[in-house]
Amino acid sequence: MPPIDPIYIGRDAIAALLQYCQAHALNRFALIADTNTYAALGERVETALKAQGYDVTSIILTGDEIIADEAYIVHALRYAPLGPCTFLAVGSGTLTDITRFVSHRTGRAFISLPTAPSVDGFTSIGAPLVLRGVKLTVTCQPPIALFADLETLTHAPHRLVAAGYGDMIGKFTALADWEMGSLLWAEPFDRQIADWVKTTVASCIAQTEAVGQQTEEGVKGLLAALVDSGLAMLQFGSTQPASGAEHHVSHFWEMRFLLEGRPAALHGAKVGYALAIIAAQYARLRAVTRPELLDRLEAATFDREAEIAAIRQGHGVLAEDIIQGHRQFLEMTPENFDQLKHRIVDQWDAIQAIAARVPPPEQIITWLKQAGAITEAKDLGLSEQEVQDGLQYGHYLRNRFTVLKLNRILGI
């Protein structure tokens, strides 16, 4: 897969875009934005391209909440021009995902023009979509280039900036789950990529106060970290370096909101809040001694029918699709389950070392507050029961072995 080149974050993003288009003989475009991102950047991009004599079709998505679902995808496809063109994604996560999917399925390239440092998906290969009510990540393509206008980013609503911070520091538990899944569930793992993401998270933490103040330096550093996280996913070929239980819980809440027709808080805001409660799960895991572990595993059983009943209880009309996607876990034989328990015992020291690298929830909450991010369930529109439902049922959304699966087996 060719590299994303250039990745430009600065004050001359539109000029850099025009230079790129001229150098690569691009002259026909489909610009996808919503009303807010069109006003923030899209109109200036359209005007600059047309001033060069280029053909631009602007597809402006409308609505109180833009969702990467079938309706908006078909709308974008309907109004996209026929024949060769380059798509321009002007916006943040959802608009990028819609553009990524539509451009990929029509065999065309796209360029990313972020308007807020709100997610890490700008440079990734996956598009999180809501299909038949289920949040799925569909493999598509990365952009061929990224041009981020620093002035636009710095003037983005702070809730979007804070959401990006939450999404970024969510990698603490994503990395822990990823490594643990490689030990217990034979999931593919890459130490070099994991170290890269770890370093990127550290750079974001160092910018926490600057992010909270929304300084130019803080916003630029945050977007650079989010871009690196997306590149790590791109290089690895899946979302595992950047998405663990904290994302699965967030996806559960998003799906609940969609089913009930409720407005959902930003993805990164939910991920940041979920990070704190998943970090608490790791703290509980750290408190388990080896003798207690052996006792808990001795009592542990696997009941396939009970697991399926739990999926139906937690996911309702979406349950059958989720059951199909979770077959590897649900089809464990008694022998498979015994082997898993033996792996837990054999890898216990490594598991404890992984858990020890997750910051305590109190520290995470402090960082979120400094960045101006949400730390209370009520501010996300969540009840305490919904928080608990996310912990109980969210892990079924992905066939991955996270701390939620381990703690469920151990009964903690």
Side-chain angles (χ1 to χ4, degrees):
M1 185 173 295
I4 303 170
D5 184 31
I7 293 175
Y8 176 92
I9 307 172
R11 289 189 166 273
D12 297 313
I14 293 179
L17 170 66
L18 294 176
Q19 185 178 15
Y20 177 86
C21 293
Q22 183 178 16
H24 291 80
L26 305 178
N27 53 31
R28 192 163 186 258
F29 303 93
L31 186 154
I32 298 181
D34 64 21
T35 53
N36 293 324
T37 64
Y38 184 74
L41 181 63
E43 186 173 13
R44 285 187 286 144
V45 170
E46 178 185 14
T47 300
L49 290 170
K50 286 184 174 180
Q52 299 297 313
Y54 298 150
D55 182 356
V56 183
T57 299
S58 289
I59 303 166
I60 314 301
L61 305 182
T62 60
D64 294 334
E65 184 178 12
I66 308 298
I67 300 166
D69 64 2
E70 295 95 335
Y72 280 107
I73 289 168
V74 170
H75 181 89
L77 284 168
R78 177 186 175 189
Y79 290 100
L82 299 176
C85 73
T86 303
F87 281 85
L88 303 175
V90 182
S92 55
T94 299
L95 289 160
T96 302
D97 293 329
I98 292 170
T99 307
R100 185 193 320 279
F101 182 82
V102 169
S103 66
H104 183 253
R105 292 307 193 264
T106 55
R108 305 169 192 174
F110 86 98
I111 296 171
S112 176
L113 293 108
T115 56
S118 55
V119 294
D120 66 352
F122 296 116
T123 53
S124 74
I125 196 172
L129 307 177
V130 180
L131 303 177
R132 296 176 63 188
V134 179
K135 191 76 176 279
L136 301 170
T137 298
V138 179
T139 299
C140 298
Q141 65 185 7
I144 55 175
L146 180 146
F147 300 93
D149 180 65
L150 191 53
E151 184 177 357
T152 302
L153 298 173
T154 305
H155 288 89
H158 188 73
R159 62 189 184 89
L160 297 173
V161 179
Y165 182 86
D167 195 15
M168 192 62 230
I169 69 168
K171 310 326 171 198
F172 276 118
T173 48
L175 288 171
D177 284 342
W178 185 28
E179 185 170 2
M180 188 167 63
S182 73
L183 297 176
L184 300 180
W185 206 242
E187 295 175 6
F189 180 76
D190 187 307
R191 172 60 63 189
Q192 186 175 3
I193 292 178
D195 288 344
W196 177 18
V197 176
K198 181 180 177 181
T199 300
T200 302
V201 175
S203 74
C204 184
I205 293 296
Q207 294 282 346
T208 298
E209 291 187 5
V211 170
Q213 296 164 9
Q214 205 159 327
T215 67
E216 187 173 291
E217 179 185 7
V219 168
K220 185 174 184 179
L222 175 58
L223 182 61
L226 291 165
V227 165
D228 269 0
S229 177
L231 291 173
M233 290 187 278
L234 175 61
Q235 183 171 325
F236 186 68
S238 87
T239 62
Q240 283 178 284
S243 175
E246 76 297 324
H247 272 72
H248 306 162
V249 170
S250 174
H251 292 332
F252 175 86
W253 294 330
E254 289 167 5
M255 289 162 56
R256 175 72 63 87
F257 288 155
L258 283 169
L259 278 174
E260 297 178 0
R262 297 156 56 190
L266 292 164
H267 167 75
K270 294 191 291 293
V271 169
Y273 174 75
L275 169 66
I277 61 176
I278 298 302
Q281 294 290 315
Y282 270 104
R284 295 172 67 180
L285 186 62
R286 287 198 300 272
V288 176
T289 64
R290 182 174 283 272
E292 182 184 355
L293 169 73
L294 297 175
D295 289 341
R296 288 182 176 276
L297 287 176
E298 180 68 26
T301 58
F302 178 77
D303 186 333
R304 179 179 183 276
E305 294 307 314
E307 295 291 331
I308 289 175
I311 293 173
R312 290 186 172 134
Q313 173 69 28
H315 293 278
V317 296
L318 307 177
E320 296 309 314
D321 286 341
I322 292 168
I323 289 168
Q324 288 301 312
H326 214 66
R327 289 175 60 186
Q328 183 182 359
F329 181 78
L330 294 174
E331 292 179 0
M332 275 196 299
T333 65
E335 292 76 19
N336 295 150
F337 189 59
D338 282 341
Q339 290 167 2
L340 174 59
K341 291 196 289 185
H342 281 102
R343 285 196 297 274
I344 294 170
V345 173
D346 293 343
Q347 298 291 345
W348 186 244
D349 290 344
I351 291 168
Q352 288 287 60
I354 292 168
R357 292 195 291 271
V358 176
E362 298 80 10
Q363 177 61 76
I364 288 167
I365 291 170
T366 297
W367 285 327
L368 289 170
K369 287 181 177 178
Q370 289 174 342
I374 290 174
T375 59
E376 299 288 341
K378 61 182 175 59
D379 294 326
L380 294 170
L382 291 168
S383 68
E384 287 303 317
Q385 183 59 55
E386 286 171 326
V387 171
Q388 294 306 311
D389 286 348
L391 286 172
Q392 184 171 358
Y393 304 119
H395 72 98
Y396 291 115
L397 291 175
R398 297 291 183 271
N399 185 30
R400 296 179 185 171
F401 201 95
T402 69
V403 69
L404 292 180
K405 277 190 169 58
L406 179 57
N407 285 5
R408 183 176 176 84
I409 290 169
L410 298 180
I412 60 174

